[in-house]
Amino acid sequence: MAMECATLGPMPKDFLKNAQSRYDVVVIGSGLAGLTAANVLARQGRSVLLLEQHYKLGGMATWFKRPGGHIFDISLHGFPYGMVKSCRRYWSKEIADSIVQLDGVRFDNPMFSLQTSFTREDFTKKLIENFKLAPEQVHAFFDKARGMNFYDDQQTTTRELFDEFFPGREDVIRLLMEPITYANGSTLEDPAISYGIVFSNFMSKGVFTFRGGTDKLIGQMTEVLQESGVDVCIRCDVTKINLNHGKVASVEVNGRTIECDAIVSNANLRATIFNLVGEEKFDRGFIDDARAVRLNNSSTQVYMAMREDESLDVNELGDLLFSSTAPTFQTEALLSRDITSRTYSFYYPKVRPEGQPRHLIVSSTNARHEDWADLPDDDYEASKKDLCETTLDALDKYVPNVRERLVHIEASTPRTFQHYTAHIAGASFGTKFEGLAVSRALPQQITGLYHAGSVGIIMSGWLGAMNYGVIVANEVDNQLMTGGSASTTGFEKTVAGEVAS
Amino acid sequence: MTREEIRGEVLEILKDIAPDEDLSNLDDKASFREQMELDSMDFLDIVMELRKRHRVQVPEDDYVELASMESTVNYLEPLMKDIQKV
Ligand SMILES: Cc1cc2nc3c(=O)[nH]c(=O)nc-3n(C[C@H](O)[C@H](O)[C@H](O)COP(=O)(O)OP(=O)(O)OC[C@H]3O[C@@H](n4cnc5c(N)ncnc54)[C@H](O)[C@@H]3O)c2cc1C
């Protein structure tokens, strides 16, 4: 018997075995947009199959464990207050109740060093007292940013917006821009409106986090999905979307074909169009637009665990620290392999009150995929090691003797993000601005085909992705009911225009 | 459904969407936005609830009709008059 088992080897597990042959909707990908779209559609009474290629749900909203009770969060650094409402509405009250405000956000660079609650009130105070700006000037800027509308012109760049209000004040630009660049990869060259909308959104009431960590959030979401009746399958890589007379017909996954009336793809926008469907299925003009969509940058991260007998002080370090040694703020410098700017997230036992009391640090940096993509294995490993070492050197200023106080350190790169999320070039924040219009136009090209996921800055991040999932779910539900294609393509603009206010 | 029943249904939806708002003194003629904190995600939720509960379809161009209680009931009346209240 034993021999027979040995020769047979492990049986491949059929991750799709409980899936039916047909659903109203198939959702491809379980990032926050995919999860939320699936949950909303099931609650609307639709039969929903959620397919995820990875062995975990959550997409970028993820975590990993290391021996010693250490749990690292990848993208839980902070999100806007709006998450409370969206979680309560589209998930559950329990989930919303775990959202708590960060204690403090710090900046430290050659131009200034300060701590802020990250609210409009506090920024206003700091700009007037520390940066000696006239109150009218500050109020006028905030009002302008808040009043920004999606329909406004896209010609003005963020740089021009700053120059209008704070000419020559590189220090002010740095304070107002650096966190947003980290939050969504936007640059001084991007349209001012995308900055204004995100900035106002983030700055209304401070920065928030999820108590219990990403693992708890995704665990709770998984339970809710079950209650809502969504069939969830992991390790299911969708390889193809099949059409029938310009309408979605089925998906191909793990050797099976599953029929459906609608598809919500949470996979990367460009991957959806070019890999899953195929460009020959779309109009030329649409493909030209799709090809012109730029991907957002990727990231590197360094994960560090403090020894059990070591601790960090939140009053001293805060939860988030934007640090830089660059004399001025430049988008290019933020992406360079020669890192001068790092965002540190400090995780204290308060983050996981039910877990073991651990102190962790995650250092994040924006990065370019091409700087890492083609490195031979040896160079790649050496570069990762170098990333760890230089991070420790930089961190020593804030956490003295950090090397001796750690039990664990490792790094991730754009290649890591690409590997786990199948995002082209490991894009951390989906696509740039122009991706939104292409994402929205998909159902006009192919009936029943929708995309929901990080696009165009405003629809990215945890909150943006969730809300975009809801907007798209509403359209899908509408299409399933009417069988037609009454589109709501203007709607996201309205939402975008007012997250600001 | 009668106008009064439709109003009751809309009120139920509003209560679910904005559980923290006191709706007992809602002025039917004034816009919702003036009286409570509603953003467009909230209006989207109203639309989704109407579809789910009553199979009523509100196209995006008509979202403006949902501005106040009175305009909402006016808009829904012809769409819901044949629906039986359950
Ligand atoms: C390092 C980093 C830090 C961040 N920090 C923050 C932060 O502090 N706050 C914040 O709000 N946001 C943050 N973000 C951004 C935020 O995490 C993302 O915007 C958001 O989680 C993206 O959600 P999404 O729905 O677009 O999908 P994604 O998370 O990109 O998920 C897409 C999913 O689709 C799956 N998939 C792809 N192709 C297929 C296929 N063919 N078949 C099946 N499944 C497939 C993938 O495996 C993945 O699970 C951060 C991102 C990164 C990378």
Side-chain angles (χ1 to χ4, degrees), chain A residues 334-381:
Chain A
L334 278 184
L335 292 171
S336 166
R337 275 283 305 271
D338 178 20
I339 300 167
T340 48
S341 299
R342 294 179 170 82
T343 305
Y344 301 104
S345 273
F346 298 100
Y347 298 91
Y348 308 93
K350 66 170 181 168
V351 177
R352 285 187 173 75
E354 291 145 23
Q356 300 180 48
R358 295 288 179 263
H359 292 81
L360 308 172
I361 308 168
V362 176
S363 167
S364 308
T365 313
N366 292 351
R368 287 193 201 95
H369 182 255
E370 60 265 31
D371 286 342
W372 294 86
D374 301 322
L375 293 180
D377 286 354
D378 285 358
D379 289 0
Y380 180 64
E381 288 309 320

Side-chain angles (χ1 to χ4, degrees), chain A residues 27-35 51-54 56-62 74-80 83 182-183 202 236-240 253 265-268 271 276 298-301 303 345 364-365 412 417 419-423 426-430 451-455 459-466:
Chain A
V27 178
I28 305 172
S30 68
L32 289 170
L35 287 168
L51 298 170
E52 167 57 50
Q53 55 95 21
H54 190 35
K56 258 185 199 164
L57 302 181
M60 298 283 190
T62 197
I74 309 301
S75 65
L76 181 59
H77 308 281
F79 47 69
M83 273 293 279
Y182 272 107
F202 246 103
C236 286
D237 189 8
V238 175
T239 48
K240 197 161 184 295
V253 52
S265 174
N266 180 221
N268 182 281
L276 294 179
S298 188
S299 310
T300 62
Q301 288 188 315
Y303 312 93
S345 273
S364 308
T365 313
S412 65
F417 291 105
H419 174 76
Y420 285 109
T421 64
H423 266 296
S428 303
F429 313 102
H451 169 263
S454 302
V455 273
M459 292 301 169
S460 84
W462 283 30
L463 178 63
M466 269 178 77

